[in-house]
Amino acid sequence: MFLVKTAVYAQWQPNVPVETRTLDEIYQAAQAERCNQLRVAAGGDAKGYWSGTIEGFQKRFPLIDLNLTVDFSKYHDSRIDRAFYAGNEDIDIAALQTLQDFSRWKAQNRLVFYKPQNFSDLVNGEKDFDGAWLPVYLFGFGQFFYDSNKINESEVPDNYLDLLDPKWKGKLILTYPNDDDAIAYLFSVQTAKYGFDWFEQLAQQDIQWVRGSATPFILLSQGAENSSSKRVISFSTTHLDGFSPAIKSKIPSKEEYLSWFQTIAIFRSTKCLESSKLFVSWILSDEWQAPLSKTTTTPINRLNALSGNEIYANNSTQTQGFRNFENDRAVVEWWKTQFETTLGPAVGPDPNSLY
């Protein structure tokens, strides 16, 4: 049974038409299917990454019972695969960082081919042309986030090499690169640039190593209200709403930073097909993405052109770098082993149990 289920299927893929229904029409169809609960597995290490999505969907479609669970993508995909092999799949949609999973799931004939109305305008290279998987949100790490109550912007480095300066000893909060593929990629780029001596010396800077990419931002925010806190800077985190406004950001002008599109797909095993199509159509609609385009790159080319937030015109980051990294598991594990050789295993509580 295991060998059959993991075999790569030779498939003829039909030309799936682009969705023509409005969101309200799909909503009506979703109500008619009487789905008990729409279950979404969302990758992240803090519920705040997806809280706006949950609130927005529930406000727009109050009659759809959405259960969106946030956890590390590597745990979500493990549970999804276990359920598949056990024959008791219970996740309708996955929106994950583990980009390597989606091609495999498609090859195993486990994904619904679906093209929302904006399909032709979604960024190329980040979508499957059959509609099996699609880009949803741009994520990224590598900016400096700092406590502006304690240091000025002019003091923030414009490169990672300067973090070896003794003045930063005891002041950094960083995420374990051996616990998260995205952080591993970020560190791999810098270690390849500066050498393992850089990483070894950085590790001697009395760093507070933590699990989860949101944790440094949260700890910096808490420290901003505490004059005795010495931890003031991180480059392995990202902004979260609802925390201290004293935490500011600065892009290092001399470095490459990490960007990628979290990827979304519907599973063929879903018993909530119309509700799943509604969620994907809504999250990739102008209605939801247009306000986001004012401050970030979206998956929709037209919105990015209007806002000027076009990641592909930025020579300091490339989304394909992380996608290629994720698909070469031997390389990923090699780098994570290098980092763990220096730091030891990642220790600390699961951030999803805290934040």
Side-chain angles (χ1 to χ4, degrees):
M1 177 65 74
F2 182 82
L3 292 176
V4 171
K5 284 200 171 188
T6 57
V8 176
Y9 289 83
Q11 299 177 74
W12 172 76
Q13 307 293 9
N15 185 16
V16 177
V18 173
E19 178 67 80
T20 59
R21 295 174 296 175
T22 65
L23 289 175
D24 288 330
E25 288 171 338
I26 305 173
Y27 184 31
Q28 291 298 317
Q31 293 174 66
E33 76 180 347
R34 300 188 181 279
C35 170
N36 290 329
Q37 188 177 71
L38 178 63
R39 297 172 61 88
V40 179
D45 48 47
K47 295 177 179 62
Y49 283 143
W50 290 91
S51 58
T53 301
I54 295 169
E55 294 166 8
F57 186 82
Q58 290 178 331
K59 182 178 179 180
R60 180 68 168 82
F61 308 108
L63 298 180
I64 303 299
D65 184 7
L66 173 66
N67 179 357
L68 188 150
T69 303
V70 181
D71 202 350
F72 285 103
S73 293
K74 64 182 181 180
Y75 296 154
H76 272 315
D77 71 349
S78 176
R79 287 190 288 264
I80 287 168
D81 281 341
R82 288 185 186 188
F84 171 67
Y85 296 131
N88 58 358
E89 295 168 90
D90 59 355
I91 296 297
D92 303 297
I93 295 171
L96 304 177
Q97 168 189 296
T98 46
L99 307 182
Q100 74 278 5
D101 287 321
F102 294 90
S103 295
R104 173 173 60 85
W105 287 337
K106 178 188 178 184
Q108 293 174 323
N109 207 28
R110 292 166 61 181
L111 301 180
V112 171
F113 303 144
Y114 182 62
K115 299 178 181 180
Q117 282 195 5
N118 272 335
F119 181 78
S120 63
D121 204 26
L122 297 178
V123 290
N124 285 333
E126 308 295 342
K127 66 185 176 185
D128 174 66
F129 273 18
D130 292 315
W133 42 266
L134 309 164
V136 58
Y137 289 139
L138 185 75
F139 282 70
F141 303 118
Q143 296 184 54
F144 283 113
F145 284 85
Y146 64 96
D147 182 350
S148 64
N149 286 342
K150 299 187 177 74
I151 59 174
N152 298 319
E153 182 179 2
S154 60
E155 299 177 79
V156 179
D158 61 3
N159 64 77
Y160 302 129
L161 189 61
D162 286 351
L163 293 173
L164 303 186
D165 191 306
K167 73 178 182 181
W168 297 114
K169 190 165 187 174
K171 296 183 178 180
L172 283 152
I173 307 174
L174 295 176
T175 306
Y176 281 105
N178 45 315
D179 193 41
D180 182 291
D181 285 4
I183 304 300
Y185 176 73
L186 177 65
F187 272 84
S188 76
V189 170
Q190 303 313 321
T191 304
K193 178 180 180 180
Y194 293 122
F196 278 103
D197 284 347
W198 168 81
F199 182 71
E200 294 290 340
Q201 291 177 59
L202 181 70
Q204 297 303 312
Q205 288 287 68
D206 186 24
I207 292 169
Q208 182 178 355
W209 294 100
V210 297
R211 297 190 67 210
S213 59
T215 306
F217 189 89
I218 294 168
L219 293 179
L220 287 173
S221 295
Q222 294 171 349
E225 312 306 321
N226 180 357
S227 60
S228 65
S229 175
K230 303 300 182 185
R231 304 288 176 176
V232 297
I233 193 167
S234 179
F235 63 85
S236 67
T237 191
T238 192
H239 176 79
L240 287 172
D241 292 334
F243 290 89
S244 173
I247 308 306
K248 308 294 186 183
S249 66
K250 176 183 176 181
I251 296 176
S253 60
K254 298 180 180 180
E255 300 289 7
E256 177 183 341
Y257 61 93
L258 163 66
S259 298
W260 83 93
F261 277 100
Q262 201 91 334
T263 296
I264 195 167
I266 302 170
F267 288 103
R268 283 185 181 272
S269 58
T270 181
K271 296 179 176 61
C272 303
L273 182 58
E274 294 298 339
S275 297
S276 297
K277 289 180 177 180
L278 176 65
F279 185 87
V280 171
S281 284
W282 169 78
I283 205 170
L284 290 174
S285 68
D286 283 18
E287 178 182 312
W288 179 248
Q289 294 283 345
L292 304 180
S293 70
K294 296 176 182 178
T295 57
T296 188
T297 299
T298 75
I300 303 172
N301 288 313
R302 176 174 31 80
L303 294 180
N304 298 333
L306 290 172
S307 68
N309 289 315
E310 295 186 275
I311 200 74
Y312 299 105
N314 185 335
N315 288 321
S316 296
T317 191
Q318 52 174 341
T319 59
Q320 283 300 308
F322 181 61
R323 185 174 291 279
N324 293 338
F325 181 76
E326 282 291 82
N327 278 291
D328 193 335
R329 301 313 298 168
V331 169
V332 174
E333 296 307 318
W334 186 87
W335 275 109
K336 290 166 80 171
T337 299
Q338 303 313 307
F339 300 135
E340 189 162 319
T341 299
T342 298
L343 303 178
V347 296
D350 181 345
N352 279 299
S353 67
L354 301 176
Y355 312 121

